Amino acid sequence: MIISASTDYRAGAQSRLPPFLFHYIDGGAYAEHTLERNVSDLGDIALRQRVLNDMSQLDLSTELFGEKLAMPVALAPVGLTGMYARRGEVQAAKAAANKGVPFTLSTVSVCPIEEVAPAIKAQRPMWFQLYVLRDRGFMRNALERAQAAGCSTLVFTVDMPVPGARYRDAHSGMSGPNAKLRQYWQAATHPRWAFDVGLFGRPHDLGNISKYRGAQTRLEDYIGWLGANFDPSISWKDLEWIREFWKGPMVIKGILDPDDARDAVKFGADGIVVSNHGGRQLDGVLSTARALPAIADAVKGEIKILADSGIRNGLDVVRMIALGADTVLLGRAFVYALATAGQAGVENLLDLVDKEMRVAMTLTGAKRVAAITRDSLVQGKSG
């Protein structure tokens, strides 16, 4: 297929992947209203076009947590990324490093920390994401391994104390009756994926969990283990030992309310991710685009603000920066590209985002990232 826009990769992923994997990354919680609004609310934000400002010298670079970024973008932590391409986390990490942006490894990755971090260590450090889990031994083990591997930034996800109800997963075969049998059948009817990933990609062992358990952790083991380890009792106090242990920047992911953002500042976090988990947790909450301005008003300048959910192209990146984010995280967008064309797909996606940002910045009169502000938006259309 012809890839001319960053959004073209979704169709490529759908054609290549077994349905249970496509719908796992594509779907959301309940009726998926928040999933849809993440995209539509962001797309409805009107940029303010300005002309004749000599935009021949544009600078997309920025600095975050002492790291130089080629543009205000990082790859978000996405679980099971190694099921979307052969050793997918390694391919995505290499693509991000080659394009000068951070890659964040999920706790529930196929490739373990010790495989991914060395693949890019010569270019830039990797970020690591951790969930709130009952098994504090696993959390400490993961933190120790991430620190030993040279990971620079910890992204701590706090919006999964309980799993969201993802009905699409049961319909597609990721979960529900006869899930394993349905997955094998779907793999057999998608031979290119079955050969490249299913056979040679070793997607049936979730590396970080297996390293801790000392035994192979398959998909069905992961679902059971993760379900037994959600911790609804977690509070800010429970995060104090992590703040004390982790020597680098710590980012709290899953903030949607200004009061929670203020609490993150009081806690001593270095950053927050304004996020509704891509619409995969609580359906009916605000889209990130609608939640972000109030949070930025509350804590901008006191803490670094990142944002995800609904970002599909370079125009969306500019919109999120204008709404108050310092940097954005790409999740689904990069996984679609990875599933379609591996590392080359992710690199091309980031090139497309770069080009789309340059068009938007040129036509809004913003010569550098710091110049993208709410003045870049049409008033009354900023979320």
Side-chain angles (χ1 to χ4, degrees), residues 27 44 51 85 105 227 268 281 309 329 342 376:
D44 285 343
V51 296
L105 184 71
Q281 279 297 95
S309 303
L329 299 176
S376 304

Side-chain angles (χ1 to χ4, degrees), residues 282-300:
L282 180 60
D283 200 24
V285 297
L286 285 176
S287 66
T288 299
R290 288 191 175 275
L292 178 55
I295 292 172
D297 288 343
V299 299
K300 185 77 171 180

